[in-house]
Amino acid sequence: MKLTEQDLYLLEFASYEDYLNSLIDGKSLQYFGNRENLISLYRTGYRALTKQAFDAQRTFLKVTKDPNTMFSRNLTPTEPFLRELADRERSNRLGILSTIIYMRYMKNGTEISGYIDYEDALRRVLQDQQYAIDWKAIFAEEKVLYPTPADLLYYNTKTGRNIRNNTRNYQILCDPHQGVIFRNMYDRKDIFPNPLAVTHGTNTKREVVESDLYEQVVLYDHVVRKNY
């Protein structure tokens, strides 16, 4: 991910208060009154980032700026699935490897299943606050990772909610014979998640991960051949 000047500008602030103060000018004071009222308004997210969004974006941007600094750095998960994700984090963030996660997870008696674009989910802390993921907490095993309505495919057995989303990395295709297909947007290669498929795609490997926490976990690792 290439950082923009706006991204780098956000990194210049030492604190959230410094960021809010930078937004105040004479025109805004004229319309909204004194400084305290304006700061209070900005804290709600009006024409500004909330503190949660500010902290999340700065965390992600610091990691993006330094590819050697990972969310999983200095953390050693005991859960085998999380160890596998930690091993793949750097290569996914650098675009060398593209991992699709299939998982089934029981939450409060409801099964949630789906496919997660790992790299897209790593970026979601910056892009989508509604379904932002605290990856530090995930790798520290303080929170649990499971599919959300923002992922490639999401299904909730209790509500029957079934959602699919294309991402920056994948377009979802449906074939009457092969079922769901994920087409990588960089090298245009197809990934076939069907467990009965003869092949899961060019430069793609399927790996089942044993887990005591999740009902089922399967990783599809695609080595990306970028056309540039």
Side-chain angles (χ1 to χ4, degrees):
M1 175 183 176
K2 184 178 180 180
L3 298 184
T4 65
E5 290 185 6
Q6 184 177 4
D7 292 330
L8 296 175
Y9 176 67
L10 192 63
L11 290 174
E12 293 178 3
F13 299 107
S15 69
Y16 182 58
E17 298 302 324
D18 290 343
Y19 163 71
L20 293 180
N21 286 323
S22 74
L23 302 176
I24 298 176
D25 56 23
K27 186 175 181 180
S28 58
L29 284 174
Q30 179 182 353
Y31 280 101
F32 296 101
N34 63 43
R35 177 179 292 268
E36 288 71 22
N37 288 340
L38 191 55
I39 289 291
S40 296
L41 184 62
Y42 285 156
R43 288 182 188 280
T44 67
Y46 177 79
R47 295 185 178 180
L49 297 173
T50 62
K51 188 176 188 308
Q52 179 185 8
F54 174 82
D55 291 340
Q57 289 200 27
R58 277 178 54 83
T59 298
F60 184 85
L61 290 169
K62 286 178 180 179
V63 173
T64 304
K65 191 175 181 181
D66 180 5
N68 294 310
T69 303
M70 300 288 105
F71 290 125
S72 59
R73 187 175 185 179
N74 298 325
L75 296 173
T76 307
T78 59
E79 164 62 37
F81 167 51
L82 295 180
R83 290 202 299 268
E84 295 290 343
L85 290 188
D87 289 342
R88 290 163 169 80
E89 183 184 359
R90 185 171 188 273
S91 56
N92 269 267
R93 291 213 317 101
L94 294 177
I96 300 169
L97 186 71
S98 182
T99 300
I100 294 176
I101 307 164
Y102 171 73
M103 60 190 311
R104 295 166 50 226
Y105 173 67
M106 294 296 296
K107 182 183 180 182
N108 300 326
T110 298
E111 182 177 299
I112 298 174
S113 62
Y115 291 86
I116 300 173
D117 177 345
Y118 183 29
E119 191 274 339
D120 182 72
L122 286 169
R123 286 188 294 109
R124 195 176 305 143
V125 64
L126 172 64
Q127 288 191 332
D128 186 349
Q129 291 306 308
Q130 183 180 5
Y131 297 110
I133 297 174
D134 186 346
W135 282 101
K136 282 287 187 181
I138 294 293
F139 285 118
E141 299 181 273
E142 297 168 354
K143 294 185 178 180
V144 177
L145 176 68
Y146 51 84
T148 75
D151 288 307
L152 277 169
L153 288 174
Y154 167 85
Y155 180 64
N156 184 308
T157 58
K158 182 177 181 179
T159 64
R161 194 177 185 189
N162 192 352
I163 298 175
R164 69 177 187 177
N165 304 285
N166 293 326
T167 67
R168 185 181 72 165
N169 301 304
Y170 287 100
Q171 177 186 8
I172 302 175
L173 306 174
C174 293
D175 183 272
H177 303 293
Q178 301 185 75
V180 173
I181 299 172
F182 300 112
R183 176 163 295 170
N184 188 279
M185 302 306 293
Y186 289 96
D187 61 12
R188 311 302 296 179
K189 301 299 183 183
D190 291 340
I191 288 82
F192 306 96
N194 186 341
L196 301 180
V198 176
T199 175
H200 298 290
T202 304
N203 304 322
T204 300
K205 178 183 176 181
R206 179 180 186 271
E207 180 177 348
V208 177
V209 181
E210 297 297 328
S211 172
D212 294 329
L213 179 61
Y214 299 92
E215 303 301 306
Q216 184 180 9
V217 176
V218 182
L219 301 178
Y220 296 86
D221 292 320
H222 176 67
V223 178
V224 181
R225 306 293 186 186
K226 295 186 176 180
N227 297 321
Y228 54 81

